[in-house]
Amino acid sequence: MEGLQTTEPASSLAADQQFHFVANSLAKLLETATRELARDREAAKASLVTASHILQAEIERCAGANGSTRGGLAAWQIARVRAYIDSNLHRTIHIRDLSAVARRSPAHFSRKFKLALGEPPHAYVVRRRLERACHLMMTSVEPLSEIALSVGFSDQAHLCRLFRQAFGQSPANWRREREIPYEPTLRTGMDENIP
């Protein structure tokens, strides 16, 4: 019992130091994004993307540490499945594909995935597609129909229905509220000289 008590504070101290380091990094990035938002929108976006990646890595680290104790997937399985999903959002993703990546049977994989990440695989894939669609709406001038297809939705209506369920508004309104310019690419080379 005494051996456990002497090692616990050291691991607790390391966890506290890790938390403070991550929290300070995120706070600095968010402060930079806030400061740069009015002057340099691209710098603000870069800070927010970096903050998002740091936070996602910390969530994955915690999920990996907690997932094995709760009976979920191992950290390597979660990382491989997430990478597979992110690189294949543009196409149909089946449970059998994900379970093969994690080297588990489909039924076992589905149960363990939900334990590890708190949502079923299909819901996770839909959420990642919506997140990617949001990113594309903020960083490109592509029409919603092309964005929908590029992230794996069957059409623009499919994107709009799921987007409205998740965010309570249409993608077009969401994009407009963030003042993201949309310019249809209907111009030809001859039109470039016209103001």
Side-chain angles (χ1 to χ4, degrees):
M1 189 75 168
E2 286 180 31
L4 289 176
Q5 290 174 346
T6 58
T7 58
E8 188 175 83
S11 64
S12 177
L13 179 63
D16 284 346
Q17 288 174 338
Q18 175 76 15
F19 171 77
H20 287 295
F21 175 76
V22 170
N24 286 334
S25 297
L26 289 173
K28 287 177 185 174
L29 286 166
L30 293 173
E31 287 171 9
T32 301
T34 303
R35 189 175 53 250
E36 293 296 328
L37 192 57
R39 288 186 288 173
D40 187 356
R41 196 173 173 122
E42 290 304 313
K45 281 184 190 178
S47 292
L48 290 173
V49 166
T50 304
S52 174
H53 286 138
I54 290 172
L55 188 57
Q56 186 66 33
E58 185 64 11
I59 290 168
E60 288 174 11
R61 186 185 68 78
C62 291
N66 295 336
S68 59
T69 59
R70 294 187 338 203
L73 298 171
W76 70 267
Q77 292 171 313
I78 293 169
R80 284 184 58 165
V81 168
R82 283 182 168 162
Y84 179 86
I85 290 169
D86 286 344
S87 63
N88 290 284
L89 285 177
H90 61 283
R91 64 181 197 86
T92 303
I93 299 174
H94 298 282
I95 287 292
R96 69 177 175 269
D97 300 328
L98 298 177
S99 63
V101 168
R103 299 182 186 160
R104 296 287 175 253
S105 71
H108 179 78
F109 169 77
S110 294
R111 281 192 314 274
K112 298 302 181 178
F113 186 94
K114 186 172 181 179
L115 274 175
L117 296 174
E119 61 186 335
H122 177 72
Y124 179 83
V125 170
V126 169
R127 183 171 57 80
R128 290 298 297 146
R129 285 185 169 143
L130 290 171
E131 289 171 358
R132 176 79 53 88
C134 288
H135 174 75
L136 291 173
M137 285 189 290
M138 288 181 6
T139 60
S140 76
V141 294
E142 296 296 321
L144 291 176
S145 58
E146 289 182 25
I147 290 174
L149 294 176
S150 72
V151 298
F153 291 115
S154 57
D155 55 21
Q156 183 176 344
H158 189 202
L159 166 65
C160 290
R161 182 174 53 82
L162 293 174
F163 196 95
R164 188 176 297 276
Q165 285 175 356
F167 298 104
Q169 62 182 331
S170 71
N173 285 343
W174 185 89
R175 199 178 212 183
R176 202 173 306 119
E177 281 181 2
R178 282 147 188 81
E179 298 177 359
I180 301 163
Y182 168 69
E183 296 178 16
T185 55
L186 298 177
R187 291 185 167 210
T188 63
M190 297 178 71
D191 292 337
E192 290 177 14
N193 296 330
I194 300 173

